[in-house]
Amino acid sequence: MKSLKISIAALIGISGLFIGCQSGGQKKAASATGSDAASSVYVAPGEYDEFYAFMSGGFSGQLSVQGLPSGRVFKVIPVFSVDAEKGYGFNEETKPMLNTSHGFIPWDDAHHPELSQTDGVPDGRWCFINGNNTPRVARIDLKTFETTEILELPNSGGNHSSPFITENSEYIVAGTRFSVPIPQRNMPINLAKGNFKGALSFITANEPGNMTIKFQILVPGFDYDLAHSGKGKSHGWTFFTTYNTEEAHTLKEAYASQNDKDYIAAVNWKKAEEYLAAGNFTEMPAEYAHNYYDERTQSATSSMLKTVKVLDPAKCPGLIYYMPCPKSPHGIDVNPTGDYIVGAGKLSADLTVHSFDKMIAAIEGKQFDGDAYGIPVLKFDAVNIGTVSSGGLGPLHTEFDDKGNAYTSFFISSEVVKWKVGTWEVLDRVPCYYSVGHLMIPGGDSKKPWGKYMVAMNKITKDRYLPTGPEMCHSAQLYDISGEKMKLILDFPTMGEPHYAQGIHADVVKPNSQKIYRLDENEHPFACKKESEARVERDGKDVHVYMTMIRSHFAPDNISGLEVGDRVYFHVTNLEQDWDTPHGFSVLGANNSELLIMPGQTETLVWEPKKEGVWPFYCTDFCSALHQEMQGYLGVGAKGQGGELKWSLGD
Amino acid sequence: MKHLSKVLMLLTIPLTLQLFFFPLWQITLEAPQYPEGITMFIWINKITGTTEYTLQNINILNHYIGMKYIEPDSIPELKYFPWVVIGIAFLEVLGLFWYNRWYYLFIGALVFALSCLGVYDFYLWEYDYGHNLDPNAPIKIEGMVYQPPLIGSKMLLNFNAISLPATGGYLFLLGNIFGFLSFVLFPKKK
């Protein structure tokens, strides 16, 4: 009876597919969703989503916060790119966040969010994300949902295999996608092979304000693509995929795809700590920025660091091994128990699964197949435990559920394949619209996945939404994975180009979300905490305005005696202490953005008036019934003719 | 019976002194955009709110209609009421030793009278805040006053204002009832 039902359902499904084919792609995808899909993603007005999703912004450089299952966008957190809406990178407080050894950089390419973990489980304290272009990592505080720390990475030519945290947030890691001369120097590019090098960095993650490169490992000049840290029994190891073990320097799409196998680098970071403690490292000159936003002073500072501790694998036996993996592996994922390391050969049909136990045995039994620049290469058969032959093409990334299943995205065949960990048999497959890159299950790269939903982040959008000209949003798709079969239940647009994402149950994060900044804890050096203390001070060409804002007026609201050529610092403090009462601040002709100031916060806008006149300023965030009245004037005279500096409110 | 009367008098003492631990009265403001609610608690010696910023937030709302700022430091009652309460407790303690029927009646009556005066005083403050409005207020509505009810609820523009006794008020009332009962149940001379 049951099998009859299934075959009838299959027939209906197939006929639906034919009808779909006749009437175009949209209908086809629609028929792939169940009739109950709408109710399963419906979050009623006033109710909350069950999960937070932190989706990387890719080329936007930001991190967006979306709800699951609704797909709604709650916030775009500026990380590596300036954001005029929030004043990030425009106000004086956050400008230092984007400082690097190359100066102020207003943009980056943000790829992989990673939540902090305690005992291998996402704990909701922080989210980390890598900047690929000018190599950096960032910390986002999940009390305030603001970027609070950014560390630049020396000896890296593109920080892709990052941050991928260890199970107690000891480290986030960073490997270089593009190998470069280390130390940097100009040299003929065609001599790259053997001369370029890579660096794998281990960065302390669980000390806010003290994000430091604990050590770097100098490695052969391959391309270090992705990573994941071990957990459970494999805690203490981090695995990096490599491609271009050919060390080609041009036309890499062909020349970097010649070797039948590339490597998975297995790094024993506990061993690295021993070598570090034994003093077996070099203190190498370097130049890289560490930027920290201090919540007390509500201001960021940037400091330039001058050295980095470097370990040389040749002098540190047992530190790193290479495990062969077919066909330019991309994603590398460790299952929840930490037993298996899954390499996705992106130019093949198959997934390669290595066993952690076999790897340890192979190391102990010295089952080596030669070496690469002195780093032992383990025999493939000695570490391999299984192959997932899926019939798909172009596997990229794997996440896990809480029932012993794995889910792998296939870019070329545009689908997600569900398979059984241990037996490696394929259980189910669903199409993606179109060309999925990363996929994400909340907690899906941790010890305890919430195996209810799976999000596919697709690289191609085409006809999924109303068109918006040549440039369209990227599309994500949500699947219900609570049953045996995966069910597509929602398409939703995303910001920028999400590469990876992380998800976490809302109950872990929501209770800690801060409502205001306490005014009595505001230690901003230019804070003005009482309206009666609002004032204007001139120091040569610099004018400092200590301004307050509260519903619905500024103090002072009229200032005169300014001059063309002055540099006016508006230090504006929001005196509100109520939830959701931000005020904005903008000045006509200011060559930067607005300020968007949260309750209890102080921010600074610099204005250099260029023309004489009386120029208005106003509140940009609709704050009350009298918001339109929240405005003031700035009197500016010609150079040397501004007159006496005066300020007032309600005179 | 003698025993019961004295026990009741004994109970009035904690029911009086609890006023230092529980608020007397509460005024809640309800409006759609305040799903978390705004409640102001009036104590014998202070004014608090749901959060430590509630009073400031109420004052910001009140300024639109020109109501005076509620500043606990400028309300003298909050300074001397605690002494009145301590005085009452002292008289009640005395009742445990000076075991006299008419003295018990005196305590009951005194506490009742003081309570009535207190509520009347509260009414006067409410009247003052609700009627003495800044003529330059941004929102002026002809004939509108903003006095919250003594007990019960009333729509004040977009806010439903609900005024009710709070835990301390109820307990103090219970103490007053006990005080009268200790007189009623006082053993008659045979």
Side-chain angles (χ1 to χ4, degrees):
Chain A
M1 192 61 198
K2 196 174 181 184
S3 63
L4 182 69
K5 268 187 191 160
I6 289 170
S7 51
I8 289 171
L11 269 174
I12 293 168
I14 288 165
S15 61
L17 202 66
F18 281 122
I19 294 163
C21 285
Q22 283 160 2
S23 53
Q26 289 254 332
K27 288 265 169 62
K28 184 167 73 180
S31 73
T33 62
S35 59
D36 57 344
S39 62
S40 62
V41 299
Y42 182 67
V43 178
E47 287 183 8
Y48 291 129
D49 277 284
E50 189 177 353
F51 294 95
Y52 282 99
F54 296 92
M55 324 255 319
S56 77
F59 44 63
S60 83
Q62 318 295 47
L63 178 74
S64 59
V65 187
Q66 298 186 247
L68 297 179
S70 74
R72 297 178 296 188
V73 180
F74 304 138
K75 184 177 184 180
V76 175
I77 302 171
V79 184
F80 295 115
S81 297
V82 295
D83 183 347
E85 173 193 327
K86 299 176 173 68
Y88 182 81
F90 290 95
N91 62 36
E92 296 306 295
E93 286 74 13
T94 54
K95 276 180 187 168
M97 290 300 284
L98 299 177
N99 192 36
T100 72
S101 63
H102 305 273
F104 179 88
I105 295 185
W107 171 88
D108 211 305
D109 180 20
H111 276 242
H112 311 119
E114 181 85 344
L115 292 164
S116 56
Q117 295 186 359
T118 301
D119 195 26
V121 181
D123 58 21
R125 287 182 292 170
W126 310 297
C127 188
F128 299 92
I129 192 165
N130 59 319
N132 189 60
N133 180 54
T134 303
R136 284 173 283 176
V137 286
R139 178 200 309 275
I140 292 105
D141 190 306
L142 295 186
K143 289 197 312 292
T144 56
F145 288 67
E146 300 284 355
T147 305
T148 54
E149 198 165 8
I150 292 180
L151 179 68
E152 191 183 356
L153 299 162
N155 298 335
S156 176
N159 181 32
H160 195 263
S161 41
S162 179
F164 305 112
I165 203 157
T166 60
E167 74 173 26
N168 283 307
S169 305
E170 294 95 339
Y171 299 108
I172 49 174
V173 303
T176 181
R177 178 163 146 208
F178 313 119
S179 288
V180 288
I182 296 178
Q184 269 291 7
R185 62 195 185 280
N186 192 12
M187 61 171 281
I189 296 168
N190 59 12
L191 297 181
K193 187 166 186 169
N195 287 315
F196 285 10
K197 281 205 157 36
L200 308 177
S201 306
F202 285 73
I203 302 146
T204 49
N206 53 11
E207 297 168 33
N210 193 24
M211 220 184 208
T212 353
I213 299 173
K214 198 81 177 286
F215 58 88
Q216 284 190 325
I217 304 170
L218 279 194
V219 285
F222 313 145
D223 291 24
Y224 293 81
D225 200 13
L226 279 158
H228 257 107
S229 293
K231 42 188 168 276
K233 65 164 66 167
S234 53
H235 179 57
W237 291 77
T238 299
F239 306 95
F240 295 84
T241 46
T242 68
Y243 64 100
N244 193 23
T245 50
E246 297 86 348
E247 294 179 80
H249 64 273
T250 184
L251 197 63
K252 286 197 183 182
E253 64 172 318
Y255 298 156
S257 308
Q258 297 304 306
N259 288 350
D260 186 48
K261 290 190 176 69
D262 295 281
Y263 300 127
I264 291 168
V267 176
N268 184 343
W269 56 259
K270 291 223 162 139
K271 198 90 178 171
E273 288 177 340
E274 289 170 23
Y275 283 121
L276 207 64
N280 198 359
F281 62 86
T282 318
E283 193 95 37
M284 192 176 160
E287 190 184 30
Y288 56 108
H290 174 241
N291 311 328
Y292 178 56
Y293 180 90
D294 187 335
E295 210 179 277
R296 271 179 323 111
T297 61
Q298 303 187 348
S299 307
T301 47
S302 178
S303 44
M304 210 53 77
L305 303 175
K306 296 294 181 193
T307 62
V308 61
K309 291 186 172 75
V310 170
L311 297 175
D312 178 359
K315 294 178 193 155
C316 303
L319 178 62
I320 176 167
Y321 298 92
Y322 282 138
M323 295 193 282
C325 187
K327 290 287 168 196
S328 302
H330 186 59
I332 173 118
D333 299 284
V334 181
N335 78 316
T337 61
D339 282 294
Y340 304 116
I341 301 128
V342 182
K346 66 175 182 275
L347 303 178
S348 79
D350 300 338
L351 292 165
T352 301
V353 187
H354 290 332
S355 152
F356 180 73
D357 288 340
K358 284 184 82 173
M359 183 193 89
I360 295 295
I363 291 168
E364 281 165 2
K366 297 201 171 4
Q367 301 265 308
F368 301 140
D369 191 3
D371 68 276
Y373 295 99
I375 293 171
V377 178
L378 296 166
K379 282 186 179 154
F380 180 79
D381 291 332
V383 292
N384 183 252
I385 193 162
T387 299
V388 181
S389 302
S390 70
L393 196 60
L396 291 187
H397 302 282
T398 302
E399 296 256 291
F400 303 88
D401 69 12
D402 49 349
K403 299 182 239 10
N405 302 309
Y407 301 76
T408 302
S409 58
F410 283 74
F411 176 77
I412 300 173
S413 54
S414 187
E415 61 184 335
V416 172
V417 170
K418 176 182 179 182
W419 51 276
K420 187 94 198 152
V421 176
T423 67
W424 327 121
E425 64 180 309
V426 171
L427 302 173
D428 189 23
R429 62 199 318 136
V430 286
C432 296
Y433 307 94
Y434 305 94
S435 299
V436 57
H438 272 272
L439 47 67
M440 179 273 274
I441 293 167
D445 73 339
S446 76
K447 273 178 161 175
K448 283 191 181 155
W450 288 273
K452 190 169 178 184
Y453 300 112
M454 182 261 292
V455 180
M457 282 152 271
N458 302 315
K459 298 298 183 189
I460 297 174
T461 305
K462 292 200 168 163
D463 59 354
R464 299 305 291 181
Y465 304 98
L466 288 173
T468 54
E471 194 199 347
M472 291 180 292
C473 65
H474 277 237
S475 177
Q477 285 175 316
L478 185 72
Y479 297 83
D480 179 346
I481 56 164
S482 57
E484 274 181 32
K485 296 283 173 191
M486 297 177 275
K487 282 192 290 188
L488 174 62
I489 50 176
L490 183 71
D491 271 14
F492 62 96
T494 52
M495 319 298 283
E497 182 198 354
H499 288 259
Y500 190 37
Q502 289 257 288
I504 186 168
H505 199 280
D507 289 348
V508 186
V509 175
K510 189 175 84 125
N512 305 323
S513 181
Q514 203 167 305
K515 289 182 172 171
I516 57 164
Y517 293 91
R518 292 183 62 106
L519 201 57
D520 56 7
E521 289 174 1
N522 175 340
E523 292 178 32
H524 191 294
F526 293 97
C528 179
K529 299 195 200 180
K530 282 187 192 143
E531 196 166 295
S532 58
E533 289 167 10
R535 64 197 183 276
V536 183
E537 292 173 0
R538 180 181 277 285
D539 177 15
K541 279 172 167 291
D542 290 347
V543 178
H544 291 273
V545 181
Y546 295 77
M547 184 179 276
T548 65
M549 57 199 338
I550 196 159
R551 281 164 287 170
S552 280
H553 60 270
F554 296 98
D557 64 359
N558 287 332
I559 300 170
S560 52
L562 302 172
E563 293 176 7
V564 171
D566 279 347
R567 202 174 149 77
V568 186
Y569 292 81
F570 294 97
H571 308 288
V572 191
T573 302
N574 182 345
L575 297 179
E576 306 277 358
Q577 294 285 266
D578 198 4
W579 190 20
D580 202 8
T581 53
H583 291 288
F585 177 81
S586 68
V587 182
L588 196 159
N591 295 94
N592 48 19
S593 75
E594 64 162 353
L595 299 175
L596 189 61
I597 311 169
M598 298 304 124
Q601 215 177 9
T602 304
E603 290 188 2
T604 303
L605 183 94
V606 173
W607 180 53
E608 292 171 282
K610 298 194 173 51
K611 296 177 182 176
E612 35 176 316
V614 175
W615 305 105
F617 65 94
Y618 72 102
C619 171
T620 50
D621 187 320
F622 204 106
C623 55
S624 80
L626 297 159
H627 162 74
Q628 294 297 82
E629 285 74 15
M630 193 163 170
Q631 55 185 269
Y633 289 110
L634 304 161
V636 179
K639 211 165 196 170
Q641 291 170 25
E644 191 195 343
L645 190 64
K646 284 192 281 197
W647 62 94
S648 60
L649 166 72
D651 57 347
Chain B
M1 286 309 266
K2 171 185 171 184
H3 193 60
L4 181 59
S5 178
K6 212 166 192 174
V7 166
L8 284 169
M9 183 52 70
L10 178 67
L11 285 174
T12 61
I13 299 163
L15 289 172
T16 301
L17 291 175
Q18 56 81 25
L19 284 178
F20 289 95
F21 304 97
F22 297 102
L24 263 169
W25 216 271
Q26 63 185 53
I27 297 176
T28 300
L29 298 175
E30 289 180 346
Q33 58 270 62
Y34 290 89
E36 71 277 24
I38 316 173
T39 301
M40 184 171 84
F41 296 104
I42 298 152
W43 299 59
I44 201 69
N45 54 355
K46 61 185 173 186
I47 296 173
T48 64
T50 330
T51 73
E52 60 180 306
Y53 305 112
T54 300
L55 197 56
Q56 174 182 336
N57 295 328
I58 288 176
N59 280 331
I60 289 173
L61 294 173
N62 288 347
H63 100 280
Y64 293 119
I65 49 162
M67 190 183 281
K68 280 192 296 191
Y69 270 48
I70 301 169
E71 285 178 51
D73 286 347
S74 68
I75 300 174
E77 282 86 333
L78 298 175
K79 304 248 165 27
Y80 67 77
F81 272 12
W83 293 107
V84 173
V85 169
I86 289 168
I88 292 169
F90 177 76
L91 294 177
E92 287 161 348
V93 171
L94 206 62
L96 298 179
F97 302 101
W98 188 25
Y99 189 61
N100 177 299
R101 186 161 177 253
W102 297 113
Y103 180 62
Y104 275 33
L105 175 62
F106 166 71
I107 289 176
L110 177 73
V111 172
F112 182 72
L114 288 172
S115 300
C116 290
L117 278 173
V119 171
Y120 179 62
D121 183 61
F122 175 54
Y123 171 85
L124 290 180
W125 277 106
E126 281 192 333
Y127 185 91
D128 183 42
Y129 280 116
H131 288 77
N132 288 334
L133 305 172
D134 183 346
N136 291 322
I139 297 176
K140 280 190 294 252
I141 293 171
E142 200 65 39
M144 185 74 191
V145 293
Y146 302 95
Q147 181 179 356
L150 199 57
I151 293 186
S153 69
K154 186 181 174 191
M155 281 305 288
L156 300 172
L157 297 186
N158 58 322
F159 281 101
N160 186 25
I162 306 162
S163 175
L164 290 169
T167 316
Y170 288 120
L171 291 175
F172 190 67
L173 179 67
L174 187 68
N176 195 202
I177 293 168
F178 283 5
F180 276 115
L181 277 177
S182 70
F183 159 73
V184 174
L185 300 173
F186 203 92
K188 307 248 171 15
K189 275 177 187 155
K190 288 173 187 156

Coordinates of all heavy atoms in Angstrom, one line a residue, chain A residues 515-520 550-553 575-579 623-626, chain B residues 33-36 38 51-54 56-58 60-61 63-64 69 138-139:
Chain A
K515 N 19.8 46.8 24.1 CA 18.7 47.8 23.6 C 19.3 49.2 23.5 O 18.8 50.0 22.6 CB 17.6 47.7 24.6 CG 16.7 46.5 24.5 CD 15.6 46.5 25.4 CE 14.7 45.3 25.1 NZ 13.6 45.1 26.1
I516 N 20.2 49.6 24.4 CA 20.7 50.9 24.4 C 22.2 50.9 24.8 O 22.6 49.8 25.3 CB 20.0 51.8 25.4 CG1 20.0 51.3 26.8 CG2 18.5 52.1 25.0 CD1 19.7 52.2 27.9
Y517 N 22.9 51.9 24.6 CA 24.2 52.1 25.3 C 23.9 52.9 26.6 O 23.2 53.9 26.5 CB 25.2 52.8 24.4 CG 25.6 52.1 23.2 CD1 24.9 52.2 22.0 CD2 26.6 51.2 23.2 CE1 25.2 51.4 20.9 CE2 27.0 50.4 22.1 CZ 26.3 50.6 20.9 OH 26.6 49.9 19.8
R518 N 24.4 52.5 27.7 CA 24.2 53.2 28.9 C 24.9 54.5 28.9 O 26.2 54.5 28.7 CB 24.6 52.4 30.1 CG 23.7 51.2 30.4 CD 24.2 50.5 31.6 NE 24.1 51.4 32.8 CZ 23.1 51.2 33.7 NH1 22.3 50.2 33.6 NH2 23.0 52.1 34.7
L519 N 24.2 55.6 29.1 CA 24.9 56.9 29.1 C 25.9 57.0 30.2 O 27.0 57.6 30.0 CB 23.8 58.0 29.3 CG 24.1 59.4 28.8 CD1 24.5 59.4 27.3 CD2 22.9 60.3 29.0
D520 N 25.6 56.4 31.4 CA 26.6 56.5 32.5 C 27.8 55.7 32.3 O 28.8 55.8 33.0 CB 25.9 56.2 33.8 CG 25.2 54.8 33.8 OD1 25.4 54.1 32.8 OD2 24.6 54.5 34.8
I550 N 17.9 65.0 22.0 CA 16.9 64.3 22.7 C 15.6 64.7 22.0 O 15.5 65.8 21.4 CB 16.9 64.5 24.2 CG1 16.1 63.5 25.0 CG2 16.5 66.0 24.5 CD1 16.5 63.4 26.4
R551 N 14.5 63.8 22.1 CA 13.3 64.2 21.4 C 12.8 65.5 21.9 O 12.5 65.7 23.1 CB 12.2 63.1 21.7 CG 12.4 61.9 20.8 CD 11.6 60.7 21.3 NE 12.2 60.2 22.5 CZ 11.7 59.3 23.3 NH1 10.5 58.8 23.0 NH2 12.3 58.8 24.3
S552 N 12.6 66.5 21.0 CA 13.1 66.5 19.6 C 13.8 67.8 19.3 O 13.3 68.7 18.7 CB 11.9 66.3 18.6 OG 11.5 64.9 18.6
H553 N 15.0 67.9 19.9 CA 15.8 69.1 19.7 C 17.3 68.8 19.8 O 17.6 67.8 20.5 CB 15.4 70.3 20.5 CG 15.5 70.0 22.0 ND1 14.5 69.4 22.8 CD2 16.6 70.1 22.9 CE1 14.9 69.3 24.0 NE2 16.1 69.7 24.1
L575 N 21.1 61.6 24.1 CA 20.8 61.4 25.5 C 19.7 60.4 25.8 O 19.4 60.1 27.0 CB 20.4 62.8 26.1 CG 21.4 63.9 26.0 CD1 20.8 65.2 26.7 CD2 22.7 63.5 26.8
E576 N 19.0 59.9 24.8 CA 17.9 59.0 25.0 C 18.4 57.7 25.7 O 19.5 57.3 25.5 CB 17.3 58.6 23.7 CG 16.9 59.7 22.8 CD 15.5 60.2 23.1 OE1 14.8 59.7 24.0 OE2 15.0 61.2 22.5
Q577 N 17.5 57.1 26.5 CA 17.8 55.8 27.1 C 16.6 54.9 27.0 O 16.4 54.1 27.8 CB 18.2 56.0 28.6 CG 19.5 56.8 28.8 CD 20.8 56.0 28.5 OE1 21.4 55.3 29.3 NE2 21.2 55.9 27.2
D578 N 15.9 55.1 25.9 CA 14.8 54.2 25.6 C 15.1 53.4 24.4 O 15.9 53.8 23.5 CB 13.6 55.1 25.3 CG 12.3 54.3 25.5 OD1 12.3 53.1 25.8 OD2 11.2 54.9 25.2
W579 N 14.5 52.2 24.3 CA 14.7 51.3 23.2 C 14.3 51.9 21.9 O 13.2 52.4 21.9 CB 14.0 50.0 23.6 CG 14.3 48.8 22.7 CD1 15.4 48.6 21.9 CD2 13.5 47.7 22.5 NE1 15.3 47.4 21.2 CE2 14.1 46.8 21.6 CE3 12.2 47.2 23.0 CZ2 13.6 45.6 21.2 CZ3 11.7 46.0 22.6 CH2 12.4 45.2 21.7
C623 N 12.1 60.5 14.6 CA 12.2 60.2 16.0 C 11.0 60.4 16.8 O 10.8 59.8 17.8 CB 13.4 61.0 16.6 SG 13.2 62.8 16.4
S624 N 10.1 61.3 16.3 CA 8.9 61.6 17.1 C 7.9 62.4 16.3 O 8.3 62.8 15.1 CB 9.2 62.4 18.4 OG 9.4 63.7 18.0
A625 N 6.8 62.8 16.8 CA 5.9 63.6 16.1 C 6.5 65.0 15.8 O 6.0 65.7 14.9 CB 4.6 63.8 17.0
L626 N 7.5 65.3 16.5 CA 8.2 66.6 16.3 C 9.5 66.5 15.6 O 10.4 67.4 15.7 CB 8.3 67.4 17.6 CG 6.9 67.7 18.2 CD1 7.0 67.9 19.7 CD2 6.3 68.8 17.5
Chain B
Q33 N 2.9 51.4 20.3 CA 4.3 51.4 20.1 C 5.2 51.2 21.3 O 6.4 51.3 21.3 CB 4.8 52.7 19.4 CG 4.5 54.0 20.1 CD 3.1 54.6 19.7 OE1 2.1 54.0 19.9 NE2 3.1 55.8 19.1
Y34 N 4.5 50.9 22.5 CA 5.2 50.5 23.7 C 4.8 49.1 24.1 O 4.2 48.9 25.1 CB 5.0 51.5 24.8 CG 5.7 52.8 24.5 CD1 5.0 53.8 23.8 CD2 7.0 53.0 24.9 CE1 5.6 55.0 23.5 CE2 7.7 54.2 24.6 CZ 7.0 55.2 23.9 OH 7.6 56.3 23.6
P35 N 5.2 48.1 23.2 CA 4.7 46.7 23.5 C 5.3 46.2 24.8 O 4.7 45.3 25.5 CB 5.3 45.9 22.3 CG 6.4 46.7 21.8 CD 6.0 48.1 22.0
E36 N 6.4 46.8 25.2 CA 7.0 46.3 26.5 C 6.4 47.0 27.7 O 6.7 46.6 28.8 CB 8.5 46.5 26.5 CG 9.0 47.9 26.6 CD 9.0 48.7 25.2 OE1 8.3 48.3 24.3 OE2 9.8 49.7 25.1
I38 N 5.0 50.6 29.8 CA 5.7 51.6 30.7 C 4.9 51.7 32.0 O 3.8 52.1 32.0 CB 5.6 53.1 30.0 CG1 5.9 53.0 28.5 CG2 6.6 54.0 30.7 CD1 5.7 54.4 27.9
T51 N 12.0 49.9 34.0 CA 13.5 49.9 33.9 C 14.0 51.2 34.6 O 13.2 52.1 35.0 CB 14.0 50.0 32.5 OG1 13.7 51.3 32.0 CG2 13.2 49.0 31.6
E52 N 15.3 51.3 34.8 CA 15.8 52.4 35.5 C 15.6 53.7 34.7 O 15.8 54.8 35.2 CB 17.3 52.2 35.9 CG 18.1 52.0 34.7 CD 19.6 51.8 35.0 OE1 20.2 52.6 35.7 OE2 20.1 50.7 34.7
Y53 N 15.3 53.6 33.4 CA 15.1 54.8 32.6 C 13.6 55.2 32.3 O 13.3 56.1 31.6 CB 15.8 54.6 31.2 CG 17.2 54.2 31.3 CD1 17.7 52.9 31.0 CD2 18.1 55.1 31.8 CE1 19.0 52.5 31.1 CE2 19.5 54.7 32.0 CZ 19.9 53.5 31.6 OH 21.2 53.1 31.8
T54 N 12.7 54.4 32.9 CA 11.3 54.6 32.7 C 10.9 56.1 33.0 O 10.2 56.7 32.2 CB 10.4 53.7 33.5 OG1 10.8 52.3 33.1 CG2 9.0 53.9 33.2
Q56 N 12.6 58.8 33.0 CA 13.1 59.8 32.0 C 12.3 59.6 30.7 O 11.9 60.6 30.1 CB 14.6 59.4 31.7 CG 15.1 60.2 30.5 CD 16.6 59.9 30.1 OE1 17.3 59.4 30.9 NE2 17.0 60.2 28.9
N57 N 11.9 58.4 30.4 CA 11.2 58.2 29.1 C 9.7 58.8 29.3 O 9.2 59.3 28.3 CB 11.1 56.7 28.8 CG 12.5 56.2 28.4 OD1 13.3 57.0 27.9 ND2 12.8 55.0 28.7
I58 N 9.2 58.6 30.5 CA 7.8 59.2 30.7 C 7.9 60.7 30.6 O 7.1 61.4 30.0 CB 7.3 58.8 32.1 CG1 6.9 57.3 32.0 CG2 6.1 59.6 32.5 CD1 6.4 56.7 33.3
I60 N 10.0 62.5 28.8 CA 10.2 62.9 27.4 C 8.8 62.9 26.8 O 8.5 63.8 26.0 CB 11.1 61.9 26.7 CG1 12.6 62.2 27.2 CG2 11.1 62.2 25.2 CD1 13.6 61.2 26.7
L61 N 8.0 61.9 27.0 CA 6.6 61.8 26.5 C 5.8 63.0 27.0 O 5.1 63.7 26.2 CB 6.0 60.5 26.8 CG 6.6 59.2 26.2 CD1 5.9 58.0 26.7 CD2 6.5 59.3 24.7
H63 N 6.7 65.9 27.9 CA 7.1 67.2 27.5 C 6.3 67.7 26.3 O 6.2 68.9 26.1 CB 8.6 67.3 27.4 CG 9.1 67.3 26.0 ND1 9.3 66.1 25.3 CD2 9.5 68.3 25.1 CE1 9.7 66.3 24.1 NE2 9.9 67.6 23.9
Y64 N 5.8 66.8 25.5 CA 5.0 67.2 24.3 C 3.8 67.9 24.7 O 3.3 68.8 24.0 CB 4.6 65.9 23.5 CG 5.8 65.2 22.8 CD1 6.1 63.9 23.1 CD2 6.6 65.9 21.9 CE1 7.1 63.2 22.6 CE2 7.7 65.2 21.4 CZ 7.9 63.9 21.7 OH 9.0 63.3 21.1
Y69 N 8.3 68.2 34.5 CA 9.1 67.0 34.7 C 8.8 66.4 36.1 O 8.7 67.1 37.1 CB 10.6 67.3 34.6 CG 11.1 67.2 33.2 CD1 10.4 67.8 32.1 CD2 12.3 66.5 32.9 CE1 10.8 67.7 30.8 CE2 12.7 66.4 31.6 CZ 12.0 67.0 30.6 OH 12.4 66.8 29.3
P138 N 4.3 71.9 22.7 CA 4.1 71.6 21.2 C 2.7 71.1 20.9 O 2.1 71.5 19.9 CB 5.1 70.5 20.9 CG 6.1 70.5 22.0 CD 5.4 71.0 23.2
I139 N 2.1 70.3 21.8 CA 0.8 69.7 21.6 C -0.2 70.4 22.5 O -0.1 70.2 23.8 CB 0.8 68.2 21.7 CG1 1.7 67.5 20.6 CG2 -0.7 67.7 21.6 CD1 1.8 66.0 20.8

